[in-house]
Amino acid sequence: MDRSTEDLVPLVYAQLRRYARQVLRREAPGQTLQPTALVHEAFLRLVQGEPEWQGPAHFLHAAARTMRRILVDRARRRGRERHGGDRERRDLSTELAQTLAPDAELLALDEALERFERLDPRRSEVVHLRHFVGLSLEETAQVLGVSLSTVKADWVFARAWLKRALERDAEE
Amino acid sequence: MPGTFLSRLAELFAQALGIAPEARAAFVAERCAGEPALARELEALLRSHTRAGNFLEEPACGAAGAADPGEPGTPAFEERFRVLELLGAGAMGTVYRAEQLAPVRREVALKVLAQELAGAAAQARFQAEQQAVAMLDHPHIAHLYESATTQDGRPFFAMELVRGQPIHTFCSARRLPLAARVALLAAVCRAVHHAHQKGVVHRDLKPSNVLVAEHGGQPVPKVIDFGVAKALAPEPGAELATAHGEILGTLEYMSPEQAGAAPDVDTRADIYSLGVMLYELVTNELPFASQRLRGVPLAEALRIVREEDPPAPSVRAGDRALRELDWIVLRAMEKDRARRYASAAEVAEDLERFLRHEPLVARPVTASYRFQKLLRRHRLAAGAVGAVLLTLAAGVVATLRESAHAREQRDLARESERKARENLRRAIDSVSFSVSFLGESLHNIAGATAARRVQAETALRSFEQLAALPESHGAADPGLGYAWQRYGEVQLAQGESAAALESFERSLAVRERVLARIAGHVERRTLAVGLWRRAQALAVRGRFVAAEADCARALALLSDLYAAGTPEPGEESIYLGIALRRVAEHRHWEGRDDEARRGLAEAVQLLEAGLRVSPEHAPLQLEHCITLIGLAELRGAAGESEAARAMLVRAQESLAEQSARSGRANIQERRLLARCATVEAALAAREGGHAAALAAARRAESLCAAILAADPLLHEVRVQHAEAMLAGARAHANSGRPADVLEALGRAVAIFTELEAKDPEHVFVRIGRAEASLLAARAREAALPGDAGAAVEARAAATGERTRALTLLRELDAEGRLPAGARAVLRAAERGG
């Protein structure tokens, strides 16, 4: 890690911690990955994977994608476990419903986002920073170096597009 | 090209969002003409947008759970604690879930104070407080196991680990009904009261310190963090705030005294916070919104807490069903802590009463206080509606002037006059509404006397102005007559019988004028009411003959109306019943009790016939009770104790039913209950049951005292109060305990003397004082001291007292101002001494 990366570490760590705290306040039974551990994992992958960071936007871009990857991997793994033979889990039908829904949703979102990113990389970036790092609209505008109204418009459009994509997928 | 397609889509989407939803279809049709794919996509996106809700707004990761002990910042505890999870962090400190390994193995919550709060003084206070808190033992209070310091010297508490949600979150998440929320808070009040009894004030009660979990299907609250706030209390003179919103205590739930310059906190601060929590639980809103408190400078936020009155819960929630709870919330949240509930247990009791639909303790006191406060703050606030109407009336005057001018131009004149007349009628209707409706709603509320006065004065001014307009042609007269009557009623209730008499005279003069013009049913009935109001003022002043004439005329008027057949049977029987009762009252004062009894019996029959037609007619029920009690008194005096008792029971049952229906006992109902008790006392005394007589008299006394506590301005209730004391003294007199008699009489004489100063011509007050003196003289003579000299002195004092009383009664008698009962007292005294 060079100097500039080191400077970014506390920023991102604080950001991710804040994010973890937000998550911490919500109760979601049946989850296995702890937020702090999640942050650690993301952090490790980040600092080990990239040789050099070109500013906060770059770092956060990577952080968001890392976070997305971790969550998707985890959802897939749990899906496999369910179909595999984790009897205890399968019996707990209510718990299953609770955990299944977010997982299925996340995987669907991941696919839709994949398509959206090819069509519209800029707005896809807004979604990543907002949804996977937990940045506010203001922070997103700051990181991307665009106006707040642009970010707002992009965010509203992206949400509508993704929502439509998910709904269309569900119909098919 | 897809990119182009998407960017056009995004552009049109943004534009469409800028216009009204209903115009969007047209927008799409216009802008996407010839491009069906674009139109379809745009429409779909707009639909998705409206359905998006919270989609993606919450950050992704669904993981929850533990903090890791190895995380930087986790303090190092003694070895017997093993940190398992970070539960929360705030300005004051951090809370962990931990496993305690020794001396007992259990899960605990560790609360570590923020570094900057860990001074030596804080630690000392912390230790001291811990002693007291450790003594608390209540199922709804989380135990404090111990307190110690971390290895780097920060104080921490080890507390019972409570798994639950903050009370308001719990209630919202489960959509608990109102009664369940109230019951939950009542349990919290009981817990807080327990702590108060042990000398521990919480100081920071708020939903996040009251956690609720479900045990066996029942929600069980636990109050946490007792003693924490005390440990954090600033040094005297220290800055209150560390940073905005991080002051000690929590702005939203902080009592006004905690928000003051020199915080001075006792158990009543907790009662305030309980009030705020109740407010929030029943309305789902805070009295002062967080956004507002935290959006202004701290000094301003504190001022809001200290000075502003939040809207009552029923007003905030727009739910009239909460009106009864308003009293509890507002009493708990009184700015002046001396006016709050004295204890958390009292809050709990009132909440439990609410749940049982019983009358509240909070109600009268707060009502009185709030009305008085309102009046103090804006002298005319209570008459605000009247003031608005005055402005309206002034507008009418202007319009009429204009119309006079316009008459020169004939075409315009007609239109203008019509408009003016319409405005006038509207003004009269509005003022009439103000007088009758507002007057009725203030009527009977303890504490509203002052407000009633302002309202009556304002209404009177409005009607006088309207009536003075030449164009009104008497249209405002019915209202004016009513306003004078209302004003007179207020004056009479406040012990201004002379002024009241004058107002009633004016009211009658206007009504006679109206009747001369329109000899209708309502006009006659209204005149009758005016007549007996004047009779009331006359009787109070001892002018019984004139009063009797008024009552007799009212009875004649109403009998004719009743005989002529009536549009509203229920109403007519009330009016005729009242007239019968009033005449019967005069017969009693004249000493013709047989006739009085017949009159009252006839009235009861009439009222009961009315009740058979409309059994839930509230005024009819009330009048029925009044008449029953009057008849019970006379039958009791005639030796028919059993019949009298049965009537009292019926009256009391009916009163209880009426109070239950309205959710509370108003002044009139409570006064009548007191009268029942007085009549009971007389019944018991006549049969020699002195203890029962005394108990009943005491009950009457305390019922009156309760009304007066809420509304000390009620002169007639004060008279009743003193008369109840007199009844108590009579019961004592027969029990042969002169010391008790003298004590009760002393209080009665003090009140009568004070009332006499206010209204010297009030004969019943003067008679009461005279009778009290006579009884006192007898009591003194019955208990002459053994010492001969002292005995002579006491006898002389007694003689002096009796002579003065007899002189007073003889004077009144000579003027024909003594009712028969009092004359009998005079004769007996003359015979006896």
Side-chain angles (χ1 to χ4, degrees):
Chain A
M1 255 196 304
D2 65 17
R3 182 76 208 150
S4 70
T5 312
E6 241 172 49
D7 288 343
L8 286 172
V9 169
L11 173 80
V12 174
Y13 192 77
Q15 183 54 52
L16 293 177
R17 276 296 298 151
R18 199 187 71 184
Y19 169 40
R21 281 236 175 83
Q22 283 172 351
V23 170
L24 192 75
R25 290 201 199 106
R26 295 203 309 265
E27 283 187 8
Q31 306 290 1
T32 50
L33 201 56
Q34 296 165 356
T36 320
L38 185 67
V39 172
H40 283 318
E41 192 182 345
F43 189 71
L44 274 176
R45 285 201 206 179
L46 275 170
V47 292
Q48 287 166 358
E50 290 272 354
E52 201 173 322
W53 303 105
Q54 295 144 24
H58 181 207
F59 185 83
L60 286 167
H61 168 96
R65 269 146 193 84
T66 310
M67 194 64 92
R68 175 177 157 197
R69 215 159 46 230
I70 295 169
L71 288 168
V72 168
D73 288 347
R74 188 166 59 112
R76 291 219 175 94
R77 196 167 57 239
R78 277 207 303 237
R80 275 197 302 276
E81 277 169 14
R82 256 177 228 126
H83 298 292
D86 187 341
R87 185 157 303 168
E88 195 185 14
R89 262 193 181 276
R90 236 190 328 195
D91 291 341
L92 300 169
S93 56
T94 51
E95 194 178 7
L96 194 67
Q98 278 170 338
T99 51
L100 193 60
D103 281 351
E105 232 172 71
L106 182 72
L107 294 177
L109 176 68
D110 182 55
E111 276 174 39
L113 202 52
E114 198 80 45
R115 272 179 282 154
F116 188 58
E117 194 160 15
R118 282 199 299 275
L119 283 173
D120 196 341
R122 182 170 61 108
R123 294 193 179 89
S124 158
E125 189 62 31
V126 172
V127 175
H128 276 90
L129 294 177
R130 297 270 294 124
H131 191 58
F132 289 102
V133 187
L135 295 190
S136 68
L137 286 166
E138 288 80 350
E139 288 165 328
T140 309
Q142 221 179 335
V143 167
L144 297 179
V146 296
S147 74
L148 180 60
S149 58
T150 304
V151 167
K152 269 187 194 159
D154 287 349
W155 173 242
V156 171
F157 180 77
R159 278 175 72 215
W161 196 96
L162 289 167
K163 177 90 179 155
R164 157 128 171 87
L166 292 182
E167 283 167 352
R168 196 162 44 190
D169 290 350
E171 281 161 25
E172 279 162 15
Chain B
M1 241 170 86
T4 315
F5 181 85
L6 194 80
S7 55
R8 283 194 59 206
L9 191 60
E11 192 187 325
L12 289 171
F13 176 77
Q15 285 171 6
L17 287 186
I19 61 178
E22 58 272 18
R24 284 178 193 161
F27 174 85
V28 174
E30 194 210 318
R31 301 298 296 272
C32 306
E35 294 180 83
L38 186 63
R40 204 173 45 241
E41 203 59 33
L42 183 54
E43 268 166 357
L45 275 186
L46 288 168
R47 271 199 309 277
S48 296
H49 172 76
T50 54
R51 282 199 300 265
N54 211 26
F55 179 59
L56 297 185
E57 290 286 9
E58 294 268 338
C61 171
D68 60 330
E71 181 194 335
T74 302
F77 293 98
E78 296 164 47
E79 274 181 6
R80 53 203 183 87
F81 292 108
R82 197 163 62 82
V83 173
L84 300 171
E85 185 184 353
L86 174 71
L87 289 175
M92 301 301 170
T94 316
V95 189
Y96 299 91
R97 179 167 72 90
E99 190 176 16
Q100 183 182 359
L101 305 170
V104 188
R105 198 181 176 99
R106 61 186 166 198
E107 280 199 347
V108 296
L110 294 180
K111 185 151 206 160
V112 190
L113 302 192
Q115 192 77 58
E116 57 274 23
L117 294 164
Q123 288 197 30
R125 265 199 310 279
F126 189 74
Q127 295 298 335
E129 185 70 359
Q130 193 248 326
Q131 303 276 320
V133 176
M135 298 292 290
L136 300 182
D137 179 21
H138 192 276
H140 298 325
I141 295 178
H143 287 285
L144 174 69
Y145 297 133
E146 62 178 288
S147 69
T149 51
T150 60
Q151 287 170 8
D152 59 350
R154 290 156 68 186
F156 72 90
F157 295 95
M159 291 182 287
E160 178 184 348
L161 181 70
V162 180
R163 293 180 187 277
Q165 288 173 291
I167 186 165
H168 66 314
T169 315
F170 182 93
C171 291
S172 314
R174 299 182 194 226
R175 306 214 170 140
L176 282 198
L178 182 65
R181 293 173 186 227
V182 169
L184 206 52
L185 200 83
V188 174
C189 290
R190 295 276 180 205
V192 171
H193 183 64
H194 170 82
H196 287 176
Q197 284 180 311
K198 304 264 168 163
V200 180
V201 180
H202 192 292
R203 290 163 172 252
D204 192 19
L205 283 173
K206 55 185 172 182
S208 59
N209 279 337
V210 179
L211 301 178
V212 183
E214 219 161 72
H215 290 294
Q218 287 297 313
V220 177
K222 283 241 189 214
V223 185
I224 62 169
D225 279 8
F226 261 107
V228 174
K230 175 72 178 291
L232 295 175
E235 299 298 315
E239 274 296 297
L240 177 63
T242 54
H244 191 187
E246 296 182 355
I247 49 180
L248 297 164
T250 307
L251 266 177
E252 287 81 350
Y253 302 89
M254 176 183 284
S255 65
E257 62 268 23
Q258 282 170 292
D264 160 29
V265 176
D266 62 19
T267 54
R268 291 170 294 186
D270 283 352
I271 290 174
Y272 180 91
S273 305
L274 288 168
V276 177
M277 284 169 65
L278 178 60
Y279 192 110
E280 192 181 10
L281 281 183
V282 303
T283 65
N284 289 317
E285 311 241 19
L286 282 161
F288 306 110
S290 298
Q291 272 175 319
R292 180 162 173 240
L293 288 179
R294 293 176 190 272
V296 295
L298 179 61
E300 169 62 8
L302 294 174
R303 187 201 62 77
I304 292 172
V305 171
R306 282 196 311 271
E307 292 175 14
E308 277 191 23
D309 288 323
S314 66
V315 175
R316 171 64 65 85
D319 182 357
R320 292 169 64 85
L322 297 178
R323 283 168 75 181
E324 200 64 11
L325 280 170
D326 284 353
W327 301 105
I328 303 181
V329 172
L330 296 178
R331 173 110 189 256
M333 284 182 64
E334 285 284 2
K335 299 284 181 213
D336 176 359
R337 61 185 173 183
R339 293 194 177 272
R340 283 178 213 149
Y341 285 97
S343 73
E346 281 185 15
V347 185
E349 278 157 22
D350 250 2
L351 290 173
E352 286 153 9
R353 273 188 205 104
F354 168 82
L355 292 171
R356 292 192 304 263
H357 307 290
E358 288 173 12
L360 305 179
V361 168
R363 184 153 192 144
V365 174
T366 314
S368 144
Y369 175 58
R370 294 194 79 80
F371 270 111
Q372 284 165 12
K373 200 160 70 163
L374 191 72
L375 283 174
R376 263 209 309 281
R377 209 175 287 160
H378 327 275
R379 293 199 68 80
L380 277 176
V385 176
V388 169
L389 295 173
L390 270 184
T391 317
L392 181 59
V396 172
V397 176
T399 316
L400 289 172
R401 292 232 173 86
E402 250 169 57
S403 87
H405 175 72
R407 230 172 267 135
E408 293 161 16
Q409 302 161 296
R410 284 180 67 185
D411 288 350
L412 285 174
R414 222 164 286 145
E415 174 60 14
S416 189
E417 252 189 66
R418 194 191 59 74
K419 227 190 258 171
R421 202 156 293 140
E422 197 184 300
N423 280 348
L424 179 70
R425 207 203 60 237
R426 221 177 279 156
I428 291 171
D429 285 354
S430 314
V431 182
S432 304
F433 173 80
S434 142
V435 184
S436 57
F437 178 78
L438 285 182
E440 292 301 338
S441 61
L442 291 175
H443 191 62
N444 261 330
I445 295 176
T449 300
R452 261 199 308 274
R453 183 170 202 120
V454 173
Q455 190 257 344
E457 279 169 355
T458 312
L460 189 55
R461 272 202 305 280
S462 304
F463 276 121
E464 281 194 312
Q465 278 205 352
L466 290 170
L469 294 170
E471 290 82 352
S472 82
H473 298 300
D477 278 352
L480 185 60
Y482 189 70
W484 273 118
Q485 181 193 312
R486 273 279 183 230
Y487 191 44
E489 287 167 7
V490 170
Q491 290 169 318
L492 193 62
Q494 289 191 254
E496 299 161 22
S497 63
L501 184 56
E502 203 169 302
S503 298
F504 291 142
E505 299 275 13
R506 282 170 180 272
S507 168
L508 271 176
V510 177
R511 284 175 177 176
E512 299 270 18
R513 195 163 76 207
V514 173
L515 193 61
R517 210 173 58 243
I518 320 161
H521 187 101
V522 175
E523 288 72 22
R524 265 181 270 200
R525 195 164 76 185
T526 315
L527 182 70
V529 175
L531 282 168
W532 72 53
R533 281 279 178 267
R534 180 170 70 184
Q536 243 181 315
L538 286 168
V540 157
R541 297 173 68 75
R543 293 168 57 188
F544 293 107
V545 177
E548 198 273 342
D550 275 348
C551 288
R553 188 169 161 218
L555 178 59
L557 271 169
L558 292 167
S559 300
D560 284 353
L561 288 179
Y562 192 80
T566 57
E568 308 151 281
E571 294 287 305
E572 294 314 321
S573 44
I574 297 182
Y575 284 101
L576 187 54
I578 296 178
L580 283 167
R581 172 166 62 80
R582 299 235 180 246
V583 169
E585 205 167 40
H586 279 282
R587 296 290 164 270
H588 168 60
W589 285 330
E590 291 158 8
R592 292 147 73 184
D593 274 10
D594 287 351
E595 281 173 63
R597 275 203 304 279
R598 276 200 297 278
L600 287 177
E602 193 186 334
V604 168
Q605 257 182 1
L606 183 74
L607 293 166
E608 285 175 356
L611 279 171
R612 275 193 292 279
V613 181
S614 23
E616 299 227 329
H617 194 299
L620 197 51
Q621 284 179 322
L622 199 65
E623 182 54 30
H624 182 233
C625 288
I626 299 174
T627 317
L628 274 180
I629 297 168
L631 188 53
E633 187 175 7
L634 295 187
R635 294 186 78 166
E640 299 172 36
S641 304
E642 220 163 286
R645 281 229 165 74
M647 286 182 161
L648 286 179
V649 169
R650 269 164 68 200
Q652 280 161 333
E653 279 171 2
S654 172
L655 286 170
E657 191 196 311
Q658 289 168 49
S659 307
R661 197 171 327 123
S662 64
R664 68 192 169 92
N666 63 31
I667 295 180
Q668 178 113 38
E669 284 155 10
R670 286 190 283 167
R671 279 192 72 178
L672 289 173
L673 285 174
R675 260 202 79 196
C676 285
T678 317
V679 175
E680 266 180 57
L683 277 174
R686 202 165 289 116
E687 291 169 341
H690 301 306
L694 193 56
R698 283 271 156 79
R699 204 165 68 240
E701 212 182 294
S702 69
L703 280 162
C704 291
I707 304 176
L708 289 171
D711 201 336
L713 294 174
L714 291 166
H715 194 266
E716 288 304 311
V717 181
R718 299 194 65 193
V719 175
Q720 197 182 350
H721 188 214
E723 283 174 347
M725 289 176 190
L726 209 53
R730 271 188 223 112
H732 269 311
N734 295 324
S735 73
R737 289 166 64 188
D740 291 347
V741 183
L742 283 170
E743 190 271 332
L745 288 172
R747 285 186 295 142
V749 167
I751 296 180
F752 279 130
T753 309
E754 200 185 313
L755 294 176
E756 203 178 338
K758 170 100 181 152
D759 191 1
E761 294 303 311
H762 197 301
V763 286
F764 295 96
V765 168
R766 294 173 71 176
I767 292 167
R769 188 167 65 86
E771 204 193 333
S773 298
L774 290 174
L775 284 169
R778 204 195 304 162
R780 272 188 233 292
E781 285 167 352
L784 286 179
D787 175 62
V792 170
E793 220 166 89
R795 187 167 285 135
T799 310
E801 210 163 6
R802 175 177 294 114
T803 312
R804 276 194 300 280
L806 287 177
T807 310
L808 176 70
L809 290 175
R810 282 191 192 116
E811 258 173 42
L812 289 174
D813 195 24
E815 292 165 5
R817 293 167 71 194
L818 218 49
R823 212 176 302 133
V825 170
L826 172 63
R827 301 286 169 256
E830 282 173 335
R831 275 198 306 279

